[in-house]
Amino acid sequence: MKFAMAALVRRSTSLNVSKVFGLRHFTASITQLQNVSSSKTLSKPGVPNIVLVEGVRIPFLMSGTTYANLMPHDLARNALLGLVKRTGLDKDSVDYIIMGTVIQEVKTSNVAREAALGAGFSEKIPAHTVTQACISSNQAISSAIGLIASGNCDAVIAGGVEFMSDVPIRVSRKMRKLMLTLNKAKKLPQKLSLISQMLSPSALTPELPAVAEFSTGETMGHSADRLASAFSISRKEQDEYAARSHQLAFEASEKGLLTDLVPYKVPGKAETVSKDNGVRPSSLEKLSKLKPAFIKPHGSITAANSSFLTDGASACLVMSEKKALELGFKPKAYLRDYVYVSQDPKDQLLLGPAYATPKVLEKAGLKMSDISVFEYHEAFAGQILANLKAMESDWFAATYMNRTSKVGAPELSKFNLWGGSLSLGHPFGATGVRLVTTTANRLHKEGGQYGLVAACAAGGIGHGMIVEAYPN
């Protein structure tokens, strides 16, 4: 699928972003449970209500900073411990643990299991790791929902972790073949011949990981630059949106709204980490001076209007409503309908939210006007603005989505009001839990009923989910 670039630029709706800018426990009887369940408009007959009890995350830090000497399972373990402490959870009441990650540490390939054991969960509790690029912990949550809905589990911890301070760097494929052959060689001349081949530059050159599409060979930053150009999104608009994200994150932090944060005392460090360290409000004048990061010199994607490499972990407790109330928990939210979408990874790599939003709304029987809280993953400012323009375009809806009319873009007055991935950080495997937890927290803070989570991911994949506030 290829964009008709000129036509798209002409028809895309203009969007000027510069104009808009202790878990409580209680004891519930079965009668109370029935009353609560029957009153929910999105409850489905014969399907158990599934709830988010609580979600937490350790502070998200720029890679190469305070977490640099740790390992991924250290971060994930402390997210799990933070969840246990926040909720007072009896570890034996958990049936399963699922965590998402993208770039795996080879020594702990099933990082969910290693983190669970390190956090003191019973060895009898199964755990597995999922990977789905930037929506890995979204997948962990929906996998938890599936286990509960099917009756296999009552309580599942879903989370995610990413550790960009120390990613696996492999020796070259040629070197790997030579080493494997050397291991089988029996005669000295053959061994010497193989060793001499190992000393060649082509064998010694390592393979570095890259945030790039295997199918296209293109980095995500290049894709974002082309997408911004296709939708005629200016550098100024992108810098304005990035400045908005950082300012809102700063204000949310100062006001104590980011209650999903749990402190982390890093071994060997004097101070306990209690805040994200990538939030940096800045002026448009400063942002405008940065040079393009990917397509040089004419691109519009810079380091400041892109999400940065981040270390972090998150965890949330997902339960059947019945089990949660039996154990004395007051849930935060109902986890309702969700969808996964996918499209062309070449020209539509980052448009997952535009495709997922109308689908999940239709599945839930809701309209855009029913949504009080929007939490979308911010990979790049240009990516967010491209999605909003796509959602405002009747032509895009008809041409690429087989829809009769546009779904409409969210109002920015409801959109990512506590900052987003551009400012808070984006540990690939952990962001989904942050999005869902923030949606639940905002619904209660702002008095809304429904929230919508959406995110794009590598491979042209996208995700959308409806979150419903639990009654006070």
Side-chain angles (χ1 to χ4, degrees):
M1 184 184 295
K2 304 296 181 184
F3 278 129
M5 295 291 186
L8 185 56
V9 169
R10 288 195 301 270
R11 293 172 172 85
S12 292
T13 301
S14 176
L15 182 74
N16 190 341
V17 299
S18 65
K19 293 182 180 178
V20 189
F21 274 103
L23 186 68
R24 293 183 295 116
H25 288 81
F26 77 113
T27 303
S29 66
I30 295 299
T31 301
Q32 287 174 312
L33 170 61
Q34 292 172 340
N35 289 339
V36 169
S37 298
S38 62
S39 67
K40 302 322 297 172
T41 57
L42 292 187
S43 293
K44 297 179 181 179
V47 179
N49 282 319
I50 296 171
V51 296
L52 171 74
V53 174
E54 181 62 285
V56 302
R57 62 185 177 92
I58 61 172
F60 289 176
L61 303 186
M62 300 175 72
S63 63
T65 57
T66 307
Y67 297 153
N69 293 328
L70 301 175
M71 291 182 66
H73 71 283
D74 294 319
L75 307 188
R77 178 184 69 242
N78 278 275
L80 293 175
L81 290 171
L83 182 64
V84 169
K85 184 176 181 180
R86 175 70 61 85
T87 59
L89 175 69
D90 179 356
K91 294 176 184 176
D92 290 335
S93 65
V94 175
D95 300 314
Y96 209 103
I97 297 172
I98 310 170
M99 300 200 86
T101 197
V102 178
I103 301 179
Q104 294 186 351
E105 162 61 52
V106 294
K107 291 183 179 180
T108 56
S109 56
N110 187 1
V111 70
R113 176 65 168 170
E114 302 304 331
L117 293 174
F121 286 86
S122 169
E123 67 276 4
K124 301 294 186 181
I125 299 174
H128 78 268
T129 302
V130 297
T131 184
Q132 199 172 14
C134 299
I135 55 174
S136 291
S137 62
N138 304 72
Q139 180 57 249
I141 291 173
S142 56
S143 295
I145 292 171
L147 285 171
I148 296 170
S150 65
N152 284 288
C153 297
D154 289 315
V156 180
I157 291 178
V161 61
E162 210 66 47
F163 187 62
M164 300 303 295
S165 288
D166 180 26
V167 296
I169 298 175
R170 304 196 303 177
V171 296
S172 68
R173 186 179 183 89
K174 180 177 180 180
M175 177 66 80
R176 297 198 300 273
K177 287 184 176 181
L178 290 170
M179 292 173 72
L180 291 172
T181 305
L182 179 63
N183 191 48
K184 299 176 183 179
K186 296 181 180 180
K187 295 182 180 180
L188 182 59
Q190 184 183 10
K191 291 181 179 181
L192 292 174
S193 174
L194 291 168
I195 291 172
S196 67
Q197 294 178 60
M198 290 178 181
L199 299 177
S200 67
S202 60
L204 292 172
T205 302
E207 291 181 0
L208 301 177
V211 184
E213 294 295 302
F214 181 80
S215 60
T216 66
E218 187 174 55
T219 68
M220 194 171 284
H222 279 82
S223 295
D225 240 326
R226 289 192 301 101
L227 191 66
S229 177
F231 280 90
S232 194
I233 298 167
S234 70
R235 165 72 181 272
K236 185 178 182 229
E237 285 180 298
Q238 294 175 62
D239 287 347
E240 286 173 343
Y241 185 88
R244 173 188 187 270
S245 181
H246 280 271
Q247 184 61 36
L248 290 174
F250 175 77
E251 292 174 1
S253 179
E254 291 296 299
K255 293 176 182 177
L257 298 176
L258 305 181
T259 55
D260 58 336
L261 282 168
V262 291
Y264 186 3
K265 180 63 174 72
V266 178
K269 302 293 182 180
E271 296 184 5
T272 298
V273 181
S274 59
K275 288 187 176 183
D276 309 304
N277 72 356
V279 181
R280 299 181 179 182
S282 186
S283 68
L284 287 176
E285 181 183 4
K286 289 183 179 179
L287 295 182
S288 67
K289 293 179 181 179
L290 293 181
K291 296 181 179 180
F294 299 98
I295 298 179
K296 304 174 182 179
H298 303 298
S300 59
I301 305 294
T302 71
N305 58 39
S306 309
S307 57
F308 48 87
L309 297 180
T310 313
D311 300 334
S314 59
C316 67
L317 179 58
V318 180
M319 304 182 84
S320 68
E321 183 183 28
K322 179 179 179 181
K323 187 68 173 180
L325 297 182
E326 285 177 355
L327 293 179
F329 290 113
K330 175 65 183 290
K332 281 184 174 288
Y334 291 100
L335 300 177
R336 298 303 193 186
D337 291 287
Y338 62 87
V339 298
Y340 288 90
V341 297
S342 61
Q343 50 278 338
D344 173 25
K346 177 68 175 177
D347 286 321
Q348 302 200 35
L349 176 68
L350 303 170
L351 288 177
Y355 283 86
T357 296
K359 281 194 172 184
V360 77
L361 286 172
E362 288 176 354
K363 188 175 182 183
L366 297 175
K367 305 183 296 293
M368 287 292 281
S369 58
D370 294 318
I371 306 300
S372 302
V373 168
F374 293 91
E375 285 291 330
Y376 283 25
H377 165 49
E378 301 169 348
F380 305 88
Q383 160 259 331
I384 280 289
L385 297 176
N387 276 274
L388 298 185
K389 280 197 173 184
M391 293 164 68
E392 274 292 341
S393 170
D394 285 315
W395 179 85
F396 185 89
T399 306
Y400 292 104
M401 303 176 70
N402 196 30
R403 299 179 59 83
T404 57
S405 63
K406 65 186 181 183
V407 66
E411 297 175 24
L412 287 186
S413 60
K414 302 177 180 180
F415 192 85
N416 289 14
L417 294 188
W418 295 355
S421 301
L422 288 173
S423 49
L424 300 171
H426 174 39
F428 303 145
T431 290
V433 168
R434 178 189 68 77
L435 292 170
V436 172
T437 303
T438 299
T439 300
N441 289 340
R442 278 188 57 201
L443 284 171
H444 282 284
K445 183 70 175 177
E446 299 167 19
Q449 183 176 8
Y450 298 118
L452 197 158
V453 171
C456 60
I461 300 171
H463 170 73
M465 175 180 281
I466 299 297
V467 178
E468 182 175 351
Y470 200 83
N472 291 322

